Amino acid sequence: MYFLYSFLLTLGVIALLPRFVTDAIRNGKYVAGWRERLGLLPDIEISNRPLIWLHCVSVGEAQAARPLARALLKEFPSYKLLVSTTTLTGQRIARDVFRDDAAAVIYFPFDWAWTVRRSLKKVDPSAVLIMETELWPNFLRECRRRHTSVAIVNGRLSERSFRRYQFIRGFTKRIVNDLDLALMQSEADAERMRALGIQPERVFVSGNLKFDAGEDNNERALTATLRERFGIDAERRLIVAASTHVPEEKIFLEAFKQLRSVDGGDKVRLLIAPRHPERFAEVATLLDSSGLTWSRRSAEASATDSTCGVILLDSIGELRAVYPLATVVFVGGSLAPTGGHNILEPATAGACTVTGAHTFNFKTVVADFLEADALVQLPELSEADVPSELSSVLEKLLAGDERRRAIAENARAALEKNRGATARTIKLLSPILAATSNQAAHDGAEGAQADDALSA
């Protein structure tokens, strides 16, 4: 079965090669880190200390892993940390987020046995922690062969992903049993993981690490910079459309025009932050044809920045710093049926948060927030009907200060109630990390004794 998987993976890469080349030429995707994806890693200075390999697929996982990484290094100071990502944007964020914590930030290898072996031989990790649920068959199998402990942390498994894994149930059972631990966000996630066939005693519910993420000094400084440059103040309230996908920018611009016709024109402003950098130019073209005044973050500062109606946040890693400036935040990927994005970050910043109907990637969190009256969710509507509904919801929230603030306060309370996943995760990881650390110390002592004997 592993041979068939590797064969199909190879066919898939070959079939998608024209797209990879096109995307590489247009926006640089897939070019960066090509050697690392093939297992050709740079030298990593770890001074013969045991190493934890922490894998974060993209931006969201890298941001969520910050408190865990710092807690790990504090609890297990003998370890070094290596961070990997799959996407280019994740790599850029990880290099910033983990600049003071990680010995290196690399790209995750392609999941062929030979590329995985090459990477593992170079890195020689004592333990591997995989954020959320990335089940790469060859990688997990090779870790098992090397007796390297592997744990899923902050794991989640949506109903959609679970159904896909069910199509290859026998193979999936072999894959998940290469895991030593599966630390899941909720009991529903844990139950689905058990149903895939992993030994039940390896599965635990640790909570969601994203509840533990907080602000840092760099973000506060950036918030102040953005506030000054774009003239953001209480007189002209800011709506943020965060992590948007096609066709959400088009929908939001139409809703924004309707809102301005009711709300007095320049009393409200909009900031759009597309989810994927390769779409920045596309959204800029959409803004050019919108009839609205707008500025882009990547351009040189100008006098119109403080007066424009719309701001395009065409940058990477700055969205968290924008949330404290917002009166209302709409979290994208939820009007488009992509499953939604993280609603916890704007809630942490004290913003009133709105989302669309498609939030299956964050089903448990959204359900908890709705129950606590800590979130506004739009009903499922046709694309033609969404702008009017969205405009109406935003109008009511902007006009109803008391209601808006109550939602934000309820969200803060929900956050506080659910904190503690980092501590629980560290406690559950301690047996395998402590054992590995002790073994490394034992091996180091034996090596030192052997060196002394040779010297004598």
Side-chain angles (χ1 to χ4, degrees), residues 72-90:
L72 283 169
L73 294 176
K74 182 179 179 180
E75 185 72 17
F76 301 99
S78 63
Y79 278 98
K80 284 283 191 175
L81 182 69
L82 173 82
V83 177
S84 66
T85 71
T86 301
T87 68
L88 174 62
T89 51

Side-chain angles (χ1 to χ4, degrees), residues 326-362:
T327 303
V328 177
V329 173
F330 173 84
V331 178
S334 56
L335 295 177
T338 57
H341 294 296
N342 187 1
I343 65 170
L344 301 179
E345 289 180 349
T348 300
C352 175
T353 306
V354 180
T355 188
H358 302 285
T359 55
F360 52 81
N361 285 337
F362 295 86

Side-chain angles (χ1 to χ4, degrees), residues 218-232:
N218 290 332
E219 287 173 356
R220 283 191 283 270
L222 179 57
T223 298
T225 298
L226 294 170
R227 186 192 303 275
E228 181 177 358
R229 172 177 168 178
F230 292 101
I232 298 169

Side-chain angles (χ1 to χ4, degrees), residues 391-406:
S391 175
S392 176
V393 167
L394 293 173
E395 180 189 351
K396 291 175 183 176
L397 289 173
L398 292 174
D401 291 349
E402 186 174 331
R403 169 68 178 147
R404 190 179 67 247
R405 289 167 185 159

Side-chain angles (χ1 to χ4, degrees), residues 40-303:
L40 299 171
L41 303 179
D43 291 332
I44 300 168
E45 178 55 49
I46 60 172
S47 304
N48 296 318
R49 291 164 64 181
L51 182 138
I52 298 171
W53 182 338
L54 175 63
H55 177 55
C56 310
V57 182
S58 191
V59 175
E61 294 81 7
Q63 297 280 20
R66 290 192 306 174
L68 176 63
R70 290 167 185 170
L72 283 169
L73 294 176
K74 182 179 179 180
E75 185 72 17
F76 301 99
S78 63
Y79 278 98
K80 284 283 191 175
L81 182 69
L82 173 82
V83 177
S84 66
T85 71
T86 301
T87 68
L88 174 62
T89 51
Q91 186 77 185
R92 291 172 178 170
I93 292 296
R95 290 182 183 277
D96 178 54
V97 167
F98 299 107
R99 62 184 179 277
D100 298 324
D101 302 313
V105 178
I106 64 169
Y107 282 94
F108 194 75
F110 292 123
D111 198 42
W112 290 299
W114 60 275
T115 51
V116 169
R117 288 174 192 154
R118 184 183 283 172
S119 295
L120 289 171
K121 182 178 180 180
K122 182 74 173 183
V123 173
D124 191 24
S126 301
V128 175
L129 308 180
I130 301 174
M131 287 289 292
E132 303 211 354
T133 310
E134 283 277 293
L135 300 178
W136 293 107
N138 283 322
F139 183 84
L140 296 179
R141 190 188 198 195
E142 293 302 323
C143 285
R144 174 64 64 187
R145 286 176 169 175
R146 293 174 60 90
H147 305 289
T148 300
S149 298
V150 183
I152 294 287
V153 294
N154 209 46
R156 65 182 175 95
L157 189 61
S158 70
E159 292 178 2
R160 177 180 292 187
S161 296
F162 174 70
R163 287 194 296 270
R164 289 172 180 168
Y165 283 124
Q166 287 287 76
F167 285 120
I168 49 170
R169 180 178 298 184
F171 187 42
T172 299
K173 183 176 180 178
R174 295 173 66 181
I175 296 169
V176 296
N177 278 292
D178 282 334
L179 296 168
D180 294 271
L181 285 173
L183 309 184
M184 310 303 288
Q185 294 181 15
S186 71
E187 182 55 44
D189 294 308
E191 187 56 39
R192 284 190 281 269
M193 182 62 77
R194 294 186 195 102
L196 292 182
I198 190 173
Q199 295 181 22
E201 63 270 19
R202 300 183 189 181
V203 183
F204 298 88
V205 177
S206 57
N208 191 337
L209 292 172
K210 292 180 179 179
F211 282 103
D212 292 349
E215 297 176 292
D216 63 28
N217 291 332
N218 290 332
E219 287 173 356
R220 283 191 283 270
L222 179 57
T223 298
T225 298
L226 294 170
R227 186 192 303 275
E228 181 177 358
R229 172 177 168 178
F230 292 101
I232 298 169
D233 54 41
E235 295 298 317
R236 294 175 299 169
R237 290 162 295 178
L238 181 68
I239 298 169
V240 172
S243 299
T244 53
H245 294 247
V246 176
E248 291 175 330
E249 297 90 4
K250 180 181 178 181
I251 290 171
F252 226 99
L253 288 173
E254 178 58 35
F256 182 63
K257 290 178 183 178
Q258 294 181 22
L259 180 64
R260 282 167 65 98
S261 68
V262 174
D263 199 54
D266 62 354
K267 291 183 180 179
V268 61
R269 304 174 76 190
L270 173 65
L271 182 144
I272 298 177
R275 177 68 174 181
H276 298 117
E278 59 267 27
R279 297 192 57 248
F280 289 161
E282 173 190 338
V283 178
T285 300
L286 190 63
L287 285 166
D288 276 334
S289 62
S290 70
L292 297 164
T293 59
W294 68 282
S295 293
R296 59 193 308 165
R297 164 63 171 152
S298 63
E300 291 292 327
S302 69

